[in-house]
Amino acid sequence: MELFFLFLLIVIMAGALGSGYPVAFALPGAAIITIGLAAGAGYLMVGSTDAYFHSGGPNQWLSAGVTNLRGVYWEVERDTLIAIPLFIFMGIMLQRSKIAEDLLVTMARLFGPVPGGLGISVVFVGALLAATTGIVGATVVAMGLISLPAMLRNNYSQSLATGTIAASGTLGQIIPPSIVLIILADQLASATDQAGTARKILHKEATGELSMPSMFDVVSTSAGEMFLGAFIPGMVLVGLYMLYILFYAILRPHKAPAVPYDGAYDVAFLKNVLITLVPPLALIFLVLGSIIAGIATVNQAGAIGAAGAMIMAGYRLPTPSKSLYYPALLAIAALFLAGFAISNYEMNIKGVSDSTDQFGITLGIISTIMLLTALGWSCWRIFKIEDTLAGVMLETAKTTSLVFIILLGAAMLTAAFRAFGGEELVREFLLGLPGGFWTQFLIVMLVIFVLGFFLDFIEIAVVVVPIVAPILLADPEANITAVWLGVMIGLNIQTSFLTPPFGFALFYLRGVAPAIVKTVQMYKGVIAFILLQLTALAIVGLYPPLVNYLPNRVSFLSETSPPPRNPRLQLCLEEYVGQRLFESSETQDAIATVRALDLSILPKDLAGDLTDSLESADNAIAELGAAFEAVKQVEAAADDYRPQLRLVRGLEKQIRSAKEEADKLNVRIGRMREESQAAARAALEADVALLDAEVEHLRSQIPESWKGVHDSFQALTTAEDSARNKYRRAADSAYEDALDVSAVLVANADFAAMEPQLRDIRAAIQTMPEAEAEDLVDELSKAFGKIDGAGDVKSALSKAAKALKDKEPDREKAMEAYEKAVVEFDSQLGWRAEAAEKLQPTLVSYLDTIRGSLGIRVQDRFTREQALAMASCSARHRDISLNF
């Protein structure tokens, strides 16, 4: 019956959508109606409202839906949704202020003389509009109205012209800042949590271990990371579009002719290009640059974009006058003044300590007032001219409401879908497909592609993604990142928006295209661009660093970068260290140089520490080599082991599924206590018996040799893990032990500076009252305690202070302890001076040499070179399925 109500849920939803009923009400309505029918049917037929639910009951699932609704607004982790109205406002404001029209006209004049230049300019402007508006319909309509007549008037092929406009208009789906990416990031963040739980369960069932190493966790994402991840794929797509148009124009010049500019390329033309092009580019730089540099969050960047759009509209809408650019110039001056203040002064009001700080705060206040004045001035202009501000805010409210209401409705629908076992059904279907992850991924992408014909991106993102994403993210063989999956889905949705006969972009363009342009020509025109989209999908799919590298780079170079000891980074870290150790003899030479030193100068404990450091360094290099050899053995054995692993894990998965089904039936059997239900109970018991028999049959298919094969392979991976752990301990010890010795020698000056105080304290011990003398000695003891290597002197002084502090103070005992402290001090002065001269330079050089290899894990953060190496290495998807 669960399947019946699941089918009913889909039918009701599809029927409502097909009849034109608003999506915002069709989604939650279908959920509430179906849950209500299931509860009623269960009560009438079985006597329990919970009978026809996969688990739980109607109250639980309705509550889950309500909880999901509340989460959309009130969860702190989902506050990136606040950026949606800000970016919508920015896009609509730029559209209403005709900045898009100026861009198209100016770029057409600039690129026109180039073969296919008019088409290239449309792609260029489409990319700029995508980075400022992110609204597909608005972009397609704007470019269709402005550029299509110009392209047809200049004898462009109808198919090329319409295909270029439709494809360029959809770039807003993938080029940041994009509403699609924000919503996908929000949904994938939740999916990551579910995928992480599923992977932990899988690891426990496969290995029997209670906890999974953190290096196997699923990598989550955020809106900022989605923006960064989509940037390079978006540029790749723009490049493919431009190259196609250029080669098309060269091969068929009569279908994409050059369009000479009638005017002169003079200073006036250059000024017009700069005024038209620079502000949108500067706005894009401020929005994306602030996110990339870690200066602003996505929400703050959205506010920057909205404010920038108002400043630009403030000089574009009014008629030309002397004061036309005053608000924009005032805003620019305010930004420069604020930047100067932040760069040169302490801007924390609570931390103001002198007149210099006060001057910096004053500059900050002045710049803030200037910026607010510029915004208010621009806002007043926009408000007065054709009531533009009110219109933009109304459209923003409508679009934002649409997005959030659909999010809320989808939360209810997802709860109902899970209530009737839909998520389990999808998971079992995908996991049961042959071919592993890539078969599952292709099926999901195909489904999303087809749904893109009928549903907007919001419905796909909030209905489909939460169901399929956890399944794909949990797979340990592909071990994909959430940001890569999000970008792939975004590219896929963009492709479906172009595909005839249902592509949304085609409908938008058809609505504004003249009658002379046939629909068939539009369909022909987008075919090449669809192929380019699929090419981009293939490129990004086969080379994940295109997506993962930039977010990683920004993360590792930021102030909050993960520390070198982060468990997720250890494999990459060891690859980096191994490359440095085995491609250069620098570290080995440094070890040999220190080993040749005469360590008899040092006390036994310090000499022992330095000797241990050298031995640890040798052991670390040997263990890292052993780890790499173990990796080769694991890789060599993996080819034979992997097919058996897949077979057995597949059988075990089927066994678990059959057991879970039997458990559910047993629960239902337990509820059937009445005599009238005897026949139904017997039928269910027969089903349970069949499932038990199936479990035994599946167990019999597990090869008898599996245990031996598994144990043998496990021994290889254990050897690798052991070698890596030994390397890590030895490498840390190699650096830390030598650093401790160096710290003692570095403290020589501080140690010698304590001599006058130590000599003068003798008289205090002999003549001053015991309590006062004890305070002075104790203070001196603590001072020595802060100096590396002065522990023996401190200890002797502590004994002297204790002797003065006893109930019966003993000056004689205190003096004995003091004399020992003086002897130890004099002894240290001697060997410290000799060691500083003969050992310290070589030891410092040794530490500098191994800091970037054996000592890298001990550092607080990565150097720039190391951070870039970690970003590059961790951008690859690493198969971890052999550990499951």
Side-chain angles (χ1 to χ4, degrees):
M1 289 297 288
E2 290 94 337
L3 293 179
F4 169 77
F5 286 108
L6 181 63
F7 176 74
L8 185 63
L9 172 69
I10 296 172
V11 168
I12 293 175
M13 180 190 68
L17 293 175
S19 66
Y21 201 71
V23 174
F25 302 107
L27 300 183
I32 294 170
I33 291 171
T34 311
I35 288 177
L37 290 174
Y43 180 76
L44 292 174
M45 299 179 67
V46 183
S48 172
T49 57
D50 301 350
Y52 297 136
F53 287 86
H54 178 65
S55 61
N59 292 334
Q60 175 184 334
W61 290 108
L62 287 174
S63 299
V66 173
T67 302
N68 290 341
L69 299 186
R70 296 180 64 211
V72 171
Y73 288 111
W74 287 310
E75 284 183 16
V76 176
E77 293 81 2
R78 303 179 71 175
D79 67 341
T80 51
L81 294 178
I82 297 171
I84 291 177
L86 295 172
F87 284 120
I88 291 174
F89 179 90
M90 178 178 73
I92 297 175
M93 181 62 74
L94 292 176
Q95 179 193 356
R96 290 288 187 91
S97 60
K98 300 181 181 179
I99 289 173
E101 181 178 342
D102 293 346
L103 280 170
L104 280 167
V105 173
T106 303
M107 291 302 101
R109 292 173 179 173
L110 186 62
F111 289 106
V114 179
L118 197 54
I120 292 174
S121 69
V122 169
V123 174
F124 181 80
V125 174
L128 288 180
L129 293 180
T132 53
T133 65
I135 303 172
V136 172
T139 306
V140 173
V141 169
M143 293 199 299
L145 288 171
I146 300 167
S147 61
L148 183 56
M151 297 178 81
L152 296 178
R153 191 167 54 248
N154 288 282
N155 300 317
Y156 262 68
S157 162
Q158 289 187 8
S159 59
L160 178 64
T162 55
T164 301
I165 292 170
S168 301
T170 61
L171 287 171
Q173 298 281 7
I174 196 65
I175 293 181
S178 164
I179 299 172
V180 180
L181 298 176
I182 294 175
I183 295 176
L184 281 173
D186 175 67
Q187 298 299 319
L188 287 169
S190 300
T192 300
D193 294 336
Q194 299 175 45
T197 302
R199 187 176 286 183
K200 288 173 183 175
I201 294 172
L202 181 63
H203 185 268
K204 181 180 178 182
E205 291 174 344
T207 64
E209 298 177 6
L210 296 178
S211 61
M212 182 181 74
S214 58
M215 64 182 295
F216 298 150
D217 282 340
V218 180
V219 179
S220 186
T221 188
S222 64
E225 289 179 340
M226 287 293 294
F227 284 0
L228 295 171
F231 183 76
I232 295 178
M235 293 301 100
V236 168
L237 201 54
V238 170
L240 289 174
Y241 286 176
M242 288 183 172
L243 287 174
Y244 166 73
I245 294 171
L246 179 62
F247 282 112
Y248 186 96
I250 293 173
L251 295 175
R252 297 182 178 182
H254 61 286
K255 291 192 174 184
V259 183
Y261 174 49
D262 295 334
Y265 291 102
D266 53 12
V267 175
F269 177 78
L270 178 61
K271 179 182 176 182
N272 183 46
V273 170
L274 292 177
I275 291 176
T276 304
L277 186 59
V278 170
L281 286 176
L283 183 61
I284 295 168
F285 174 78
L286 283 174
V287 172
L288 295 183
S290 61
I291 297 173
I292 292 173
I295 298 173
T297 64
V298 174
N299 295 339
Q300 293 163 347
I304 292 171
M310 284 199 296
I311 296 290
M312 292 167 64
Y315 68 75
R316 176 60 183 82
L317 290 174
T319 54
S321 64
K322 289 183 178 180
S323 62
L324 181 66
Y325 294 103
Y326 283 2
L329 294 174
L330 183 62
I332 292 171
L335 291 177
F336 275 108
L337 185 60
F340 174 80
I342 292 171
S343 301
N344 295 279
Y345 299 97
E346 174 59 50
M347 300 302 290
N348 186 350
I349 295 179
K350 293 182 179 180
V352 173
S353 58
D354 52 32
S355 58
T356 302
D357 293 340
Q358 292 176 354
F359 180 72
I361 296 294
T362 303
L363 289 181
I365 294 172
I366 293 172
S367 66
T368 302
I369 294 173
M370 290 170 61
L371 185 59
L372 290 175
T373 303
L375 283 172
W377 195 346
S378 300
C379 189
W380 177 246
R381 287 181 171 181
I382 301 166
F383 177 74
K384 288 195 306 178
I385 299 172
E386 299 177 2
D387 208 17
T388 303
L389 182 60
V392 171
M393 294 184 72
L394 183 60
E395 288 299 316
T396 301
K398 287 180 179 178
T399 307
T400 303
S401 299
L402 172 67
V403 171
F404 276 90
I405 289 174
I406 292 175
L407 283 171
L408 299 177
M412 292 292 292
L413 183 73
T414 303
F417 189 80
R418 288 171 176 157
F420 300 117
E423 190 173 33
E424 291 290 333
L425 197 64
V426 172
R427 182 183 292 110
E428 289 175 6
F429 168 73
L430 290 177
L431 295 178
L433 291 172
F437 169 82
W438 288 107
T439 302
Q440 301 167 15
F441 179 71
L442 290 174
I443 293 294
V444 168
M445 294 295 277
L446 181 61
V447 170
I448 291 176
F449 180 77
V450 174
L451 288 176
F453 297 158
F454 311 103
L455 300 178
D456 197 3
F457 70 87
I458 302 174
E459 290 94 89
I460 295 173
V462 300
V463 175
V464 180
V465 172
I467 296 170
V468 299
I471 301 169
L472 299 177
L473 291 171
D475 190 290
E477 184 171 355
N479 194 28
I480 60 173
T481 59
V483 64
W484 178 85
L485 180 60
V487 171
M488 291 294 288
I489 291 174
L491 283 170
N492 190 20
I493 296 174
Q494 182 181 349
T495 307
S496 69
F497 276 21
L498 276 180
T499 305
F502 304 105
F504 281 102
L506 301 177
F507 287 127
Y508 293 136
L509 186 56
R510 176 70 276 174
V512 298
I516 191 175
V517 178
K518 304 300 180 186
T519 303
V520 174
Q521 292 297 323
M522 295 173 58
Y523 288 175
K524 287 182 179 178
V526 296
I527 290 174
F529 290 95
I530 292 170
L531 295 176
L532 293 175
Q533 287 272 166
L534 295 175
T535 301
L537 261 173
I539 292 172
V540 175
L542 295 173
Y543 192 65
L546 281 176
V547 174
N548 295 327
Y549 176 72
L550 195 54
N552 288 349
R553 179 189 175 98
V554 171
S555 173
F556 283 111
L557 291 177
S558 70
E559 291 297 324
T560 57
S561 64
R565 284 186 182 270
N566 189 307
R568 296 189 62 86
L569 303 178
Q570 296 313 301
L571 296 182
C572 288
L573 201 62
E574 284 150 19
E575 287 181 14
Y576 173 79
V577 172
Q579 186 176 5
R580 293 199 59 179
L581 288 178
F582 301 126
E583 291 184 2
S584 170
S585 62
E586 184 181 27
T587 299
Q588 289 86 338
D589 292 343
I591 295 171
T593 301
V594 176
R595 198 180 293 279
L597 294 175
D598 180 12
L599 302 184
S600 62
I601 299 171
L602 298 172
K604 289 184 179 180
D605 56 342
L606 292 182
D609 287 345
L610 198 51
T611 301
D612 291 343
S613 169
L614 299 176
E615 291 178 357
S616 295
D618 289 335
N619 291 337
I621 296 173
E623 292 297 343
L624 188 58
F628 289 161
E629 286 299 321
V631 169
K632 292 179 181 178
Q633 294 180 23
V634 169
E635 290 175 349
D639 291 338
D640 294 330
Y641 176 70
R642 195 183 302 276
Q644 296 186 59
L645 177 67
R646 287 174 176 165
L647 171 65
V648 174
R649 295 298 182 233
L651 292 171
E652 290 175 345
K653 189 185 302 178
Q654 294 179 55
I655 291 171
R656 287 195 300 271
S657 177
K659 283 184 172 182
E660 288 173 3
E661 186 64 27
D663 291 340
K664 293 174 188 175
L665 293 179
N666 284 323
V667 171
R668 293 180 60 183
I669 291 171
R671 293 172 178 170
M672 297 179 177
R673 299 184 179 89
E674 299 179 8
E675 290 297 328
S676 60
Q677 298 173 325
R681 186 168 58 247
L684 292 179
E685 289 173 347
D687 292 339
V688 171
L690 288 175
L691 288 171
D692 291 340
E694 182 183 353
V695 168
E696 293 304 319
H697 174 68
L698 291 170
R699 283 176 176 164
S700 67
Q701 292 183 317
I702 297 177
E704 294 182 2
S705 60
W706 165 245
K707 188 178 185 305
V709 170
H710 177 265
D711 290 345
S712 298
F713 189 82
Q714 195 73 27
L716 294 177
T717 57
T718 300
E720 179 192 345
D721 292 340
S722 175
R724 289 186 184 276
N725 289 330
K726 289 178 180 178
Y727 156 75
R728 292 163 192 167
R729 288 193 295 269
D732 293 350
S733 176
Y735 186 81
E736 289 175 331
D737 289 348
L739 186 65
D740 290 342
V741 176
S742 177
V744 172
L745 301 183
V746 168
N748 282 353
D750 293 336
F751 184 83
M754 298 297 295
E755 184 172 7
Q757 297 181 52
L758 181 65
R759 305 296 183 193
D760 293 344
I761 204 75
R762 178 192 297 273
I765 297 174
Q766 292 175 334
T767 61
M768 290 183 66
E770 289 86 347
E772 295 180 17
E774 186 269 329
D775 289 338
L776 292 176
V777 174
D778 185 61
E779 184 178 343
L780 184 61
S781 172
K782 291 178 180 177
F784 272 104
K786 296 177 181 179
I787 300 174
D788 289 299
D792 291 340
V793 178
K794 174 189 179 301
S795 178
L797 289 174
S798 295
K799 291 179 180 179
K802 184 178 180 182
L804 294 171
K805 189 179 181 181
D806 287 342
K807 292 181 179 179
E808 296 181 3
D810 188 342
R811 288 183 185 272
E812 189 173 322
K813 186 176 180 182
M815 283 301 299
E816 289 179 6
Y818 167 75
E819 294 298 342
K820 289 181 180 179
V822 171
V823 171
E824 178 61 29
F825 180 84
D826 292 338
S827 172
Q828 286 202 28
L829 276 181
W831 65 255
R832 278 177 180 268
E834 188 177 2
E837 178 184 354
K838 297 180 180 179
L839 302 181
Q840 180 69 349
T842 303
L843 188 55
V844 170
S845 176
Y846 168 70
L847 286 169
D848 289 340
T849 301
I850 70 170
R851 180 177 289 110
S853 54
L854 299 180
I856 193 171
R857 279 169 39 89
V858 185
Q859 310 308 316
D860 293 331
R861 58 183 295 119
F862 292 113
T863 64
R864 180 178 179 82
E865 177 197 349
Q866 294 162 358
L868 295 180
M870 294 302 103
S872 178
C873 176
S874 58
R876 304 193 304 267
H877 293 160
R878 193 185 297 269
D879 181 0
I880 59 173
S881 62
L882 296 177
N883 298 281
F884 284 75

